[in-house]
Amino acid sequence: MALRLVQVNCKARDEKALGRFWAEALGWDVTGERPGATPVQPPGFVWPDPATVSLDVIAVPDPETVNDRVHLDLATTSADHQAALVARLKELGATAADVGQGDVPWTVLADPEGNVFCVLEPRPIYQDTGPIAAVVVNCAAPRAMARFWHEAMNWTLHEVSDDHARLRSATGAGPYLEFLRTADVNLGNRLHLDLAPYPQDDQAAEVARLRALGATDLDIGQGDASWKCLADPEGNAFCVLAPS
């Protein structure tokens, strides 16, 4: 049994505007808008795509204003590509962000609602990921987080240390999931992961399995929804969707 990482869920005050920003930023499309939700997916995307993690921008009345535990790293193929992408993102409404990064080769930006993300310098490891190189989670214990998420999704462990852990789908496609040791993890959860069981699997059984691995139930006011809200061992929210 295992789950698929199908999308990153992003809270927003204006989900349509933020969805348009991310569609332009990634070269993707806004597809099938639902009331209060703006899906952002690659051209030709078919749900659930085994090689792509999409983005779902969800309207909430009062999203957190603090820095988030989860952020996106964007891939580039050359120094010129990095510079051009940063310039284009600023034209779209992104702004420079200072998170104490100092003099680093990557560029830290914030989207129009203040969500921080990074535009990486060219790195060979990310050359086949698509526009999203990695979904990065700040945490206190990367080794423990890697164990939990490896068991949850059966993703391959590519690197594990006290400071950093990196996983990727066993298919070798799509972005990496990375855990970065951070001194202050008392951050918000404007972005979270949405997982889905495989069609032949049972949502309730998967949720029970995650609880046995250390997940806990989470009430975010979802009510009687088709998805189940949980928190991983460090309190990061995530959702288990119904099979599709």
Side-chain angles (χ1 to χ4, degrees):
M1 299 174 70
L3 291 157
R4 298 168 288 178
L5 174 57
V6 291
Q7 63 190 18
V8 176
N9 185 299
C10 179
K11 301 174 187 175
R13 293 180 184 84
D14 186 341
E15 82 285 1
K16 292 183 178 179
L18 193 61
R20 289 193 297 270
F21 168 85
W22 279 105
E24 292 287 342
L26 300 172
W28 290 0
D29 298 325
V30 171
T31 59
E33 289 187 50
R34 314 183 304 276
T38 300
V40 179
Q41 300 167 342
F45 180 87
V46 177
W47 176 276
D49 191 311
T52 304
V53 175
S54 62
L55 185 66
D56 204 24
V57 186
I58 303 296
V60 296
D62 188 25
E64 293 92 336
T65 57
V66 297
N67 289 336
D68 200 80
R69 295 183 185 184
V70 181
H71 74 265
L72 302 181
D73 280 352
L74 306 188
T76 63
T77 56
S78 68
D80 288 345
H81 180 205
Q82 182 187 19
L85 180 57
V86 168
R88 185 167 67 85
L89 291 166
K90 288 180 176 178
E91 290 176 358
L92 292 171
T95 54
D98 186 350
V99 293
Q101 69 270 20
D103 185 16
V104 294
W106 58 89
T107 302
V108 183
L109 299 174
D111 71 18
E113 290 213 6
N115 300 299
V116 171
F117 64 98
C118 297
V119 180
L120 302 180
E121 76 285 3
R123 301 184 192 180
I125 192 172
Y126 300 130
Q127 293 307 294
D128 65 347
T129 61
I132 300 177
V135 180
V136 182
V137 182
N138 292 328
C139 66
R143 288 185 185 275
M145 290 288 281
R147 285 194 299 270
F148 172 84
W149 284 97
H150 167 68
E151 293 290 339
M153 301 192 299
N154 196 30
W155 276 29
T156 303
L157 295 169
H158 285 263
E159 176 187 341
V160 182
S161 72
D162 290 340
D163 295 319
H164 182 248
R166 178 183 286 126
L167 300 84
R168 196 181 191 191
S169 167
T171 65
Y176 289 83
L177 177 62
E178 302 188 9
F179 298 96
L180 182 65
R181 186 178 181 184
T182 308
D184 181 10
V185 294
N186 187 26
L187 304 174
N189 257 144
R190 288 191 69 173
L191 278 71
H192 71 256
L193 306 182
D194 282 347
L195 313 181
Y198 287 90
Q200 70 275 13
D201 289 337
D202 179 73
Q203 182 191 42
E206 284 296 318
V207 169
R209 185 176 66 87
L210 292 168
R211 290 181 185 131
L213 293 172
T216 53
D217 294 308
L218 187 64
D219 185 352
I220 56 173
Q222 69 270 20
D224 187 20
S226 61
W227 58 89
K228 303 299 181 184
C229 296
L230 300 171
D232 71 17
E234 287 205 11
N236 298 297
F238 67 97
C239 294
V240 180
L241 309 181
S244 60

